Each structure stands twice: as C-alpha cells, then as structure tokens.
Amino acid sequence: MPNEINLFGPIGKTADGTGITAQQVKTQLAAMNQTQPLLVHIDSEGGSVFDGLSLYEAFASYSGPKEAIIESTAFSMASYIAMAFDRVTIAENGYVMVHQPSTDTGGTASELVSTADVLTKLDQSMTAAYVRKSGLSEARVKQMMAAETFLNANEALAVGFVDAIAKRNVPTRIQPSARHKTMPQRVYAALFGAGSGGDTELHKDKPMSTQTIVAATVQEIKAAFPKAKSDFIVRCLEKGLPIASVASAAADEMMKENEEMSAKVTSLEAELAAMKASAAKADDTDTDDTDDDKSDVEAKKVAAKNGVKAVAKAKEVTKRTAVTEWNTAIDEQLKLHAGNRLKAVSAVNKRHPGLRERMVAEANAR
C-alpha cells in the first residue's frame, strides 16, 4: 500500500487555527517508509508562500516514487507544490492556477526592501519549478504567473503542468469565499455551480461572479507567441480567449499548418518525380542528338569532297537550371535535417524564395 497524505484546504496556519502547515506534513513524512510509493491528494486554494516552499522541498526530497492527484483544485502555492512530484494526475473537472507570490506587509523602507527580496527569490523558485515540470520557456511561465492564469484539466495537460487526466469528477472541498481576485466566471461556475458540489442553495439567488473571463491582450499574445500570425491574433481577440486558451488554439493552428505543409510536400514529391522522368527522357534525346552530330560530320566531309558548302543543322539547347538548383538545394537540406523532407522543403523555400515557382514553371513549359 502506498503512503498517502491529503492536502485539503489552505496551505499554512489560518486565523481560525486550521490549514495545512509544513511542520504537520513533515511529521507525517518522517513516520513513513520513504522507499514506498507516495500518493498525495490535493484540493487547495493555496496559502502561505513559506509553508508552500517548505512543502515543495519536503516532497521533492522524498526518495520513493511519488504522485500527486489534483482533486478539483490546485491554486497558487498548491499548484507549485504539485510540481515536486514525478507524476501529476488531475480530475476531469479540475483546475490549476499559477500566479506570482505576494504578501500583505508593512514596515520601514528597509523592511519593505527585505520583503521584496524574499518575494523575488520565491518567484524565481516557483518559476524554475513550473519550467522543470512543463518544459515551457521561463518567459512563458513568467507571463502566465503575472496574468494569474487558470487552466482546466485539458489546458493544464497541454502546457505540461499535469501528466494525465483521471476519468472522474471530484466535488471541490474549498469554499466560495476562497476565490481569487481574477477567478474567471467559468471557473467559479464549474466549482460552485449546480452539480459541482458547491453550496448552490446558499448562492443560487446571487450572481456567481462579478468577474469576467480575463481575455489576453495583443501584447500578451505576441509576448507568448512571437511568431503568431496577425489573423490568428485577431481570431483570439474576437473570441476573447484567455492566454491559456490561446495556447491551446496555437497548438491547433500548428497542427493545421503541419497538415497543410505535409500535403504540399506530397505534391512537390509528385512534381519532382515527374521532372526526373522528364529529365531522363531529355537525356535520351541528347543521345539521339549526339548520333545526329556524327551524321552531320560525315555529311560535311562528303559535301567538302564534292565542293558543296554544308549547311549547319540548327540545334536548340534548353537548360533546366531551376530544376537543377532545386534538386541540389533539397539534397543539401536533407543532409542537414537527417532526411526529413518536410523540414528540407521548408528550409529551401525560406533560403531560396521564388525558386520553387521557377522550377514548377520550367517543368510545366516542357
């Protein structure tokens, strides 16, 4: 049987004396055989950055195999803690939220500077954990944290924060009062609306949220996806997509472009095959022309002997330079891209603009 720990509720000691502290969890871990698998269930709105940092280190140091199961929510520090595990599974109705660490503090100027230094280091640690788990760039993770990004199960899987989706729904244990300041209406409705396990009777006559979905701006989309085309950005803006949904849309767009490119490559391969056949036929014609040249030489000798001036036979020579250039360029790129024709064709099109059009025109003219 695996060792099990539940992280249900806020991280750190709360005003009413509840909450999950790092010391409590460390005491549990110390009593366990750490060579055995560890299973940690998470349903938490987050909480203390200091307890969260300590919990992350405790779980990361666990020597046996470890898995976290997000049962509905892993917000703020809870999502950071989840990054310490070898495998993270999320319920179908689950959500992950990432944002920058913050604290309510007061004091002298030097005390505020010291607090800012601590938050900066915490932010660096959290960013590094999200990057290690997901494989995303540091810039992308920082952008998501700055925007306080909420991701559903599919979105969390797409960006790499989780490894699998469990085929079940789990009612959340957190309270509606634990909502974060920019929680989108769709998240609030999914967690506390009808059928979600929230307190629907208490809140059914009240608006579920005064917040709207936080749509990504042009600047945010460009920062996260520098190569995004203008028409893609416009579509995202028209739909009012948050940055997490933009990521999913970008993945779909890339798949579509790959399919279109694959179709173009297939067409190009057919064109190349036809041109090679044409070139082979042309070589046969050149051989015939060589025989004709020999006949011309004999005819000239006979004419000279008889005092007749020979008339030179006109010969039209057509050079297929575009075809030769294209084939040479493709061969070079195939070597550079380990035989990947799709990448080779794409590279040639970028390095030699207009060559493909000249090559096709030359082939069609024959």
Side-chain angles (χ1 to χ4, degrees):
M1 294 290 291
N3 297 320
E4 292 195 52
I5 293 177
N6 294 332
L7 300 184
F8 296 154
I11 304 298
K13 190 174 182 179
T14 58
D16 60 2
T18 61
I20 306 153
T21 67
Q23 186 57 51
Q24 291 170 339
V25 174
K26 287 181 177 180
T27 300
Q28 287 181 275
L29 288 171
M32 295 176 176
N33 178 355
Q34 296 203 9
T35 63
Q36 296 300 310
L38 174 65
L39 193 60
V40 175
H41 303 268
I42 300 174
D43 188 14
S44 171
E45 61 268 44
S48 166
V49 291
F50 300 104
D51 279 274
L53 183 64
S54 185
L55 284 171
Y56 176 91
E57 295 297 334
F59 288 130
S61 300
Y62 188 88
S63 57
K66 46 189 177 284
E67 177 179 4
I69 300 178
I70 299 173
E71 299 182 352
S72 289
T73 62
F75 292 168
S76 186
M77 292 307 295
S79 68
Y80 168 61
I81 292 169
M83 300 300 103
F85 291 81
D86 304 324
R87 178 178 173 83
V88 181
T89 302
I90 188 170
E92 279 188 318
N93 64 321
Y95 278 88
V96 171
M97 185 272 276
V98 298
H99 69 172
Q100 295 173 324
S102 63
T103 184
D104 295 324
T105 187
T108 64
S110 60
E111 289 172 338
L112 291 175
V113 169
S114 177
T115 300
D117 288 341
V118 171
L119 286 176
T120 298
K121 292 177 181 178
L122 286 171
D123 184 89
Q124 292 170 346
S125 297
M126 293 174 69
T127 300
Y130 291 125
V131 168
R132 279 195 299 270
K133 179 63 179 175
S134 66
L136 296 173
S137 68
E138 182 177 317
R140 173 78 186 287
V141 168
K142 282 184 175 294
Q143 189 278 328
M144 294 175 72
M145 291 173 66
E148 189 168 281
T149 302
F150 289 80
L151 305 104
N152 62 28
N154 288 323
E155 291 166 340
L157 180 64
V159 299
F161 288 155
V162 304
D163 303 295
I165 299 175
K167 299 300 181 181
R168 67 178 187 275
N169 291 340
V170 182
T172 185
R173 299 166 184 81
I174 70 172
Q175 298 301 311
S177 59
R179 68 172 301 164
H180 287 259
K181 61 182 179 180
T182 59
M183 182 184 289
Q185 184 175 355
R186 64 183 174 90
V187 179
Y188 190 90
L191 295 176
F192 308 115
S196 70
D199 192 356
T200 55
E201 288 299 317
L202 179 63
H203 299 277
K204 67 181 181 180
D205 295 325
K206 299 179 182 180
M208 286 189 293
S209 175
T210 57
Q211 300 285 338
T212 58
I213 295 175
V214 181
T217 65
V218 174
Q219 292 77 13
E220 290 173 340
I221 297 174
K222 286 184 176 180
F225 307 97
K227 296 183 179 180
K229 297 178 181 178
S230 57
D231 57 345
F232 171 75
I233 295 176
V234 169
R235 288 199 300 273
C236 292
L237 294 175
E238 289 175 343
K239 294 177 181 178
L241 298 180
I243 194 65
S245 297
V246 172
S248 298
D252 293 339
E253 188 85 357
M254 184 176 296
M255 289 295 295
K256 181 181 177 182
E257 289 180 357
N258 285 343
E259 290 173 358
E260 291 176 350
M261 181 62 73
S262 179
K264 289 181 179 179
V265 169
T266 301
S267 176
L268 283 172
E269 287 177 340
E271 292 176 2
L272 288 171
M275 284 186 288
K276 286 180 180 179
S278 177
K281 183 177 180 182
D283 289 341
D284 292 339
T285 303
D286 290 342
T287 301
D288 293 340
D289 289 343
T290 300
D291 293 338
D292 291 341
D293 290 342
K294 292 179 179 179
S295 300
D296 289 344
V297 171
E298 294 299 326
K300 287 177 181 178
K301 289 181 179 179
V302 172
K305 183 178 180 180
N306 297 327
V308 178
K309 186 176 182 181
V311 179
K313 180 180 179 181
K315 180 181 179 181
E316 182 179 354
V317 179
T318 303
K319 295 183 180 179
R320 294 183 300 282
T321 56
V323 174
T324 303
E325 289 178 21
W326 175 265
N327 288 335
T328 301
I330 289 291
D331 289 340
E332 291 175 353
Q333 292 302 320
L334 284 173
K335 293 177 183 177
L336 294 175
H337 294 284
N340 188 315
R341 182 164 290 276
L342 177 62
K343 291 184 178 180
V345 171
S346 178
V348 171
N349 282 330
K350 288 180 180 179
R351 293 172 177 272
H352 305 280
L355 177 58
R356 178 183 177 278
E357 289 75 10
R358 290 194 293 114
M359 176 267 291
V360 172
E362 189 175 276
N364 290 336
R366 293 197 56 79

